[in-house]
Amino acid sequence: GFTICPTYKDTAMKTWDRVVRGFEQVLFSWQSRQLETLGQKVEVTRTFALSKLYYVAQVLPLPDKHRRQIDSSMSKFIFRGRHERLQLDEMQNSYENGGLGLPNIAVKADSLLLKQMCRMLNLTNEKSFHLLGYWLGGFLRDTNVSENFPELADLGPVSYTMSRAFPLHGYMLDTFLEAVSRGEVKRINGPVAAPAQHDAVLRVGRQAAQLAGRVDVCDQQQNAAQGDRLIPVIPPHRNILQSVTTKSIYTSRMTNLLVPPKIELKFPLVNFPELVYSRMNHKVLETRQRDVSYTVIHGLFKNRDRLFQQGRADDRLCQNQACKRSDMVESVEHIFCLCYRVRTAWLWLRAKVTELLSDQGPAPAVSNTELIMLMYPKCRREAEAAFLLCTFMELVDKEVTGKKKELMVGTVRGVLRAKVEQISSRAAPEIHFPLGWL
C-alpha cells in the first residue's frame, strides 16, 4: 500500500521510507542463513528483496536518498564477511561480461515508471492527454507554458517534485513543446482540441519507444504536407506504446551505463569475455567452483598480503610455519601455487593442464597467475583445463584455507575422478578425459 499525505512529496518520501525498511528487513532475515557464494546472495536480493520495491516504483519515483540507501544495504548484504567489495556497477554486467546480473535499481525504477506512463498514454480517450499533464505539470509551470494550458499545469505536481536527472521528463517536455510549436497542441477558445492532443500524445509515445530501443516500430511514418513544408506525422494508432516493455526500456537505458570490471584495465591485452568469463561460467562447473573462480579473478579472494595493505593484519606472511620461516608473502598466487601445503599437488595439476594446452602443438608459456585466472590461450581442450583448475581452487579453498590441511595429490586425483565419473554419466557429457588419464 501507499502512505497518503497532503502533499505529493510527503506521500512519495513516507511511502518509500516504509518500503525500504521492508526491503532491509528481508535482507536481514536472510543474513543468518547459509549463503556461501556471491551468486546466491545476488539471487536472493533479486528474487526476495528487490521485488518488494517494484510495485511502488511503477507509481512513485524513487528518490535519490532511498536509491543510495538501497544500494548501501545491498552491498553490505552481498559482501558481508568479505574483506573486499566490488562496485555494484561491475556486478550489474551480465555473466558473459564478468558480472552477476544484479539489477540497477535506479534504472529499473525509472523503467517501471516509464512503462506505467506508456500504459496510461495508451488509453483510448481524452484521459491520456490529462495524464500527460499530470506528469508535465511542474515543468510547464517552470517554462511558463502553463499560461496557455492551465488545465495541464493544475493536473498534478509529479514532475515538479521529481529529480531533474530523470531523463523521461526532459524527453516528454521537449516533445510536448515541439508539438506546441508545430501547432499540434492549441487552445480553441476553451479546452484543447482532441485531434491535436492525440498527435501530441503519440509524439511523446514515440519518444518513450525510442528510449526503449523500439524506434523501428515508431518510424513507420509518412510525410504529410502542411502549408509549404513537409513534416513527419505519426500514424494515428497506439501500437508504438504497446510495443514498449519494461525489459526493453531497461536494456536500452543500461547499454551506455555498464562499466567493464576493473580487472580488465589491469590486463588490457586479455579478451576477458571470450577467454576468461566464458570459462568461468562454463556449464560443467558447479556453483561453488564458479564462485571461487569469480573471487580470484576479481581480486576478492582473502589473502594476508591484501589484509596487510588494508591495515587488518600484522604482517603479509603466510601463517604456515615452513612458509613463515622462508618469509613467503601470502598472495593469491602463493595460496594456490607456492605454499608448502599445496605445492606438490599444484605441480602435478599444472603438468596435467599443460598437457591439455599442448594438445595441438608445443606447450605455451603460461604463468601461475594466468592459469588460476583462466587467462591461458585458446585450445581444443580449454573446457577440460578450466574444470581441472576450478576444481583444484575449490579444494584449496575448502581444505587449505578453511581447514588448514595439507592438500595431497591423492586427494586431488580422487576428487577429480569422482567428478569426472559423475559428468560422464550424463546423456551429453560436456568434457572428456582419456581413460586412466587422471
Side-chain angles (χ1 to χ4, degrees):
F2 297 84
T3 303
I4 306 300
C5 300
T7 66
Y8 182 88
K9 182 178 180 180
D10 289 342
T11 297
M13 296 299 290
K14 291 189 177 182
T15 299
W16 276 111
D17 282 341
R18 180 181 54 77
V19 172
V20 172
R21 283 198 301 271
F23 166 82
E24 292 176 335
Q25 288 173 1
V26 171
L27 295 182
F28 179 78
S29 68
W30 280 89
Q31 283 184 359
S32 60
R33 309 189 187 189
Q34 189 173 5
L35 300 174
E36 296 182 349
T37 70
L38 293 176
Q40 290 172 339
K41 292 184 177 181
V42 169
E43 195 59 34
V44 165
T45 303
R46 287 166 53 99
T47 306
F48 299 103
L50 287 175
S51 59
K52 294 182 69 67
L53 309 176
Y54 294 158
Y55 176 75
V56 175
Q58 296 178 73
V59 181
L60 297 176
L62 176 63
D64 192 58
K65 166 191 170 183
H66 294 91
R67 190 268 307 165
R68 293 194 302 269
Q69 187 176 348
I70 292 168
D71 285 346
S72 176
S73 299
M74 284 196 298
S75 181
K76 291 177 182 177
F77 172 74
I78 293 172
F79 293 104
R80 185 171 182 263
R82 306 266 179 169
H83 80 293
E84 200 87 56
R85 293 187 184 186
L86 283 181
Q87 294 290 331
L88 295 184
D89 291 347
E90 297 184 47
M91 303 184 70
Q92 289 163 5
N93 286 291
S94 63
Y95 287 91
E96 295 78 13
N97 290 307
L100 293 176
L102 181 70
N104 182 316
I105 185 57
V107 176
K108 185 71 171 180
D110 289 357
S111 302
L112 288 165
L113 199 59
L114 176 55
K115 172 58 183 175
Q116 181 75 346
M117 184 274 290
C118 292
R119 184 191 68 80
M120 292 190 297
L121 292 183
N122 199 42
L123 297 175
T124 57
N125 52 33
E126 69 279 359
K127 289 182 179 180
S128 62
F129 187 67
H130 293 282
L131 289 170
L132 178 62
Y134 179 76
W135 295 98
L136 286 180
F139 281 137
L140 294 177
R141 284 193 295 271
D142 292 344
T143 56
N144 295 322
V145 179
S146 59
E147 296 178 1
N148 296 322
F149 302 97
E151 66 269 50
L152 287 182
D154 295 337
L155 284 176
V158 176
S159 55
Y160 182 75
T161 59
M162 285 185 181
S163 169
R164 293 299 184 90
F166 184 45
L168 169 61
H169 298 84
Y171 286 124
M172 291 177 66
L173 181 63
D174 291 342
T175 51
F176 181 82
L177 294 180
E178 180 186 354
V180 172
S181 66
R182 293 180 183 276
E184 297 170 0
V185 180
K186 55 185 177 181
R187 292 175 56 85
I188 305 180
N189 299 324
V192 179
Q197 74 186 42
H198 182 74
D199 289 341
V201 169
L202 286 177
R203 187 171 294 282
V204 175
R206 182 187 187 282
Q207 193 68 63
Q210 186 175 8
L211 274 179
R214 296 303 304 272
V215 188
D216 56 324
V217 181
C218 307
D219 277 342
Q220 299 171 359
Q221 301 182 19
Q222 298 175 351
N223 286 332
Q226 181 175 354
D228 297 329
R229 58 193 179 93
L230 296 177
I231 63 169
V233 173
I234 298 177
H237 61 74
R238 298 170 184 271
N239 293 334
I240 57 175
L241 294 178
Q242 295 176 350
S243 69
V244 176
T245 64
T246 303
K247 181 178 179 181
S248 63
I249 299 170
Y250 180 83
T251 301
S252 177
R253 293 281 304 281
M254 286 298 294
T255 300
N256 297 324
L257 296 179
L258 294 173
V259 296
K262 293 179 181 177
I263 190 64
E264 296 186 21
L265 303 178
K266 188 176 180 180
F267 300 94
L269 299 180
V270 178
N271 187 338
F272 276 82
E274 182 179 347
L275 294 180
V276 180
Y277 302 147
S278 61
R279 295 164 179 169
M280 179 179 65
N281 294 305
H282 197 281
K283 57 184 178 181
V284 74
L285 300 181
E286 299 170 356
T287 302
R288 182 62 183 164
Q289 294 170 335
R290 295 179 185 179
D291 182 72
V292 174
S293 179
Y294 186 91
T295 57
V296 169
I297 290 170
H298 290 278
L300 301 176
F301 196 86
K302 188 176 181 179
N303 61 91
R304 288 185 66 85
D305 186 26
R306 180 58 179 156
L307 291 176
F308 180 77
Q309 295 175 14
Q310 296 173 333
R312 300 168 61 184
D314 297 332
D315 58 62
R316 54 179 48 147
L317 301 180
C318 177
Q319 297 304 290
N320 177 268
Q321 292 303 315
C323 296
K324 203 168 187 178
R325 285 194 294 270
S326 301
D327 292 332
M328 301 180 72
V329 176
E330 189 189 74
S331 61
V332 174
E333 180 186 4
H334 174 86
I335 293 174
F336 290 104
C337 310
L338 306 177
C339 181
Y340 287 122
R341 289 173 174 159
V342 303
R343 181 177 296 180
T344 303
W346 169 252
L347 291 175
W348 175 85
L349 185 91
R350 181 184 172 90
K352 290 294 183 181
V353 172
T354 303
E355 186 177 340
L356 291 175
L357 299 182
S358 59
D359 186 50
Q360 293 180 309
V366 185
S367 67
N368 290 334
T369 299
E370 289 173 326
L371 286 177
I372 61 177
M373 293 186 65
L374 308 181
M375 295 192 300
Y376 50 84
K378 289 184 70 68
C379 64
R380 191 170 63 90
R381 308 295 294 276
E382 59 182 82
E384 285 82 355
F387 168 77
L388 292 183
L389 290 165
C390 292
T391 302
F392 177 80
M393 290 191 289
E394 179 197 17
L395 271 175
V396 171
D397 182 49
K398 178 181 178 181
E399 299 294 330
V400 181
T401 305
K403 300 179 181 179
K404 308 300 181 184
K405 293 182 178 180
E406 183 177 354
L407 188 61
M408 309 299 294
V409 174
T411 303
V412 178
R413 295 180 67 182
V415 171
L416 287 173
R417 286 173 178 173
K419 290 184 180 292
V420 169
E421 183 178 350
Q422 182 181 11
I423 294 172
S424 301
S425 64
R426 300 173 184 171
E430 296 87 358
I431 56 175
H432 302 275
F433 290 103
L435 185 64
W437 189 73
L438 294 172

